[in-house]
Amino acid sequence: MSRLLQLAAAAGAAAAAVGFYRWYKQRQGRFVCMSYNILIETKTYPNRQDSHWRNRKDLLIKQILERAPDLLGLQECGPGQVPELRAALSPAGYHVQHLFREVPGEEAEGLMLAVNPATMEVGESGHFWLATETPHVVGSKAPGAEHP
């Protein structure tokens, strides 16, 4: 896919998101969307003890639950983080979906979406990979890309 087509697809997605936000805000009066790159649990910085997942987890979960977003997006969710986050969000009523970017057996990181069913309804769900010839195959990479 050419860079121009990628940019056009991204612009179309952004326009759709803005349109959805305006519609939802008019209908509900509020729309809270949160997005975090939570930093995969195996990645730490030697000079920062607070970079360890065990030192960040409770604050992240507290912020999410206090703000009660309608839609939550998390990236760089590692294999150990996924069950902890699911266990924290599910009792609060969130509908949680997770997908690793690697094929089964090679899981390293992925993304997680959580929807608050008190304010939003999941009509259907699925996934696709941008900039690839095989958008529905987990782990698909764009030509020349290092990661999916």
Side-chain angles (χ1 to χ4, degrees):
M1 182 181 292
S2 75
R3 182 74 175 145
L4 182 59
L5 286 176
Q6 292 173 4
L7 291 173
V18 168
F20 172 77
Y21 168 75
R22 288 183 180 149
W23 169 82
Y24 189 82
K25 187 168 171 97
Q26 289 173 351
R27 186 170 162 259
Q28 300 289 329
R30 102 188 233 293
F31 178 73
V32 178
C33 179
M34 295 175 74
S35 175
Y36 285 97
N37 180 327
I38 65 169
L39 186 65
I40 190 166
E41 70 233 312
T42 56
K43 176 72 174 168
T44 58
Y45 296 95
N47 59 341
R48 294 202 44 198
Q49 283 298 311
D50 61 346
S51 69
H52 292 274
W53 173 241
R54 67 180 176 272
N55 297 330
R56 297 180 286 117
K57 174 180 64 172
D58 292 338
L59 178 60
L60 173 70
I61 292 169
K62 179 181 178 207
Q63 287 179 343
I64 293 168
L65 295 177
E66 283 178 354
R67 287 168 177 80
D70 302 299
L71 179 63
L72 170 67
L74 302 173
Q75 67 184 82
E76 281 198 43
C77 299
Q81 293 165 309
V82 171
E84 292 177 327
L85 291 164
R86 188 180 300 276
L89 296 172
S90 294
Y94 282 91
H95 174 79
V96 178
Q97 289 288 317
H98 174 265
L99 181 68
F100 285 112
R101 71 178 187 183
E102 292 83 10
V103 296
E106 298 178 18
E107 296 90 348
E109 67 177 70
L111 60 89
M112 180 180 281
L113 291 175
V115 175
N116 185 341
T119 59
M120 296 182 74
E121 179 180 329
V122 177
E124 62 181 79
S125 65
H127 73 274
F128 63 93
W129 301 90
L130 293 174
T132 177
E133 301 283 326
T134 54
H136 298 290
V137 177
V138 173
S140 295
K141 296 180 191 177
E146 184 178 344
H147 301 290

